[in-house]
Amino acid sequence: MTIALRHAMTVDEFLGWASTQPEAPRAELINGQVVMMASERVVHNRLKASAFIALRDALARSGITGEAFIDGLTVLIDAFTAYEPDATVVLGAPLDGNGMTITDPVIVVEVISPTSAHSDTSAKLIGYFKLPSVLHYLVIDPDARAVTHHARTADDRVVARILDAGPLTLDPPGLVIEIAELFA
């Protein structure tokens, strides 16, 4: 019996492959394997847009130099894993307009769906916090209308709390968002 094993694709190979596709694929690279992402529900699309707007507006109110992004940019986790979160925040000067990746996100957001809930709350939680730059990981649950805020502490632990109302403080860098803004 012959078994054909798939070649584990590197992030660089994945990005090269993605850039040659006639339409940008909705895909992530997980342990060297391309994983196509399911089509989104309307509620998912609305919530990721609300998260982006809330983060962008919080940056503007704070006067902190940085950018908020909605999905489509790839966050590099390691040589064989790259995720495409629903929203991200990076600090500092604007990113190169021709880039496809984010290497140092400070805030990462995922809106869970029936097909992504398990990976968003397990593998991606671990993966995002492998990056020293990640200070906050927000998991938005449309059904519960709640946000799980995972935060890196000063001693490099990750703590979580669930919020369904009131202010969400992301400090550092010093952003404040009302939970209601995420569900606008």
Side-chain angles (χ1 to χ4, degrees):
M1 173 193 287
T2 303
I3 298 174
L5 299 176
R6 281 194 254 170
H7 164 74
M9 189 181 282
T10 67
V11 169
D12 288 340
E13 291 169 332
F14 171 72
L15 292 172
W17 168 79
S19 70
T20 65
Q21 301 306 299
E23 289 187 31
R26 295 196 69 242
E28 295 180 316
L29 185 67
I30 301 174
N31 296 323
Q33 302 304 313
V34 176
V35 177
M36 301 307 288
M37 295 165 44
S39 296
E40 293 178 343
R41 297 182 301 162
V42 169
V43 68
H44 186 107
N45 194 274
R46 285 180 182 145
L47 290 176
K48 74 180 179 186
S50 292
F52 161 73
I53 292 166
L55 290 166
R56 182 197 63 197
D57 292 352
L59 274 169
R61 285 190 305 268
S62 73
I64 296 169
T65 302
E67 291 182 277
F69 294 98
I70 201 160
D71 75 354
L73 296 176
T74 302
V75 173
L76 313 176
I77 303 301
D78 59 36
F80 296 97
T81 302
Y83 298 134
E84 187 179 299
D86 289 319
T88 52
V89 170
V90 296
L91 299 180
L95 297 182
D96 175 4
N98 292 316
M100 295 173 47
T101 62
I102 296 175
T103 57
D104 56 352
V106 174
I107 301 166
V108 179
V109 179
E110 293 284 2
V111 177
I112 62 172
S113 65
T115 59
S116 73
H118 178 71
S119 65
D120 288 345
T121 58
S122 58
K124 287 185 179 182
L125 170 64
I126 293 166
Y128 288 133
F129 278 105
K130 284 183 180 179
L131 302 177
S133 65
V134 173
L135 301 176
H136 305 279
Y137 176 44
L138 308 178
V139 179
I140 300 174
D141 184 335
D143 297 328
R145 291 191 58 86
V147 178
T148 303
H149 174 208
H150 301 274
R152 186 186 307 268
T153 64
D155 60 353
D156 210 32
R157 291 178 304 116
V158 175
V159 296
R161 63 190 180 122
I162 300 172
L163 302 161
D164 61 6
L168 168 61
T169 302
L170 304 169
D171 192 31
L175 305 181
V176 178
I177 298 170
E178 288 293 325
I179 295 298
E181 290 179 83
L182 298 172
F183 292 94

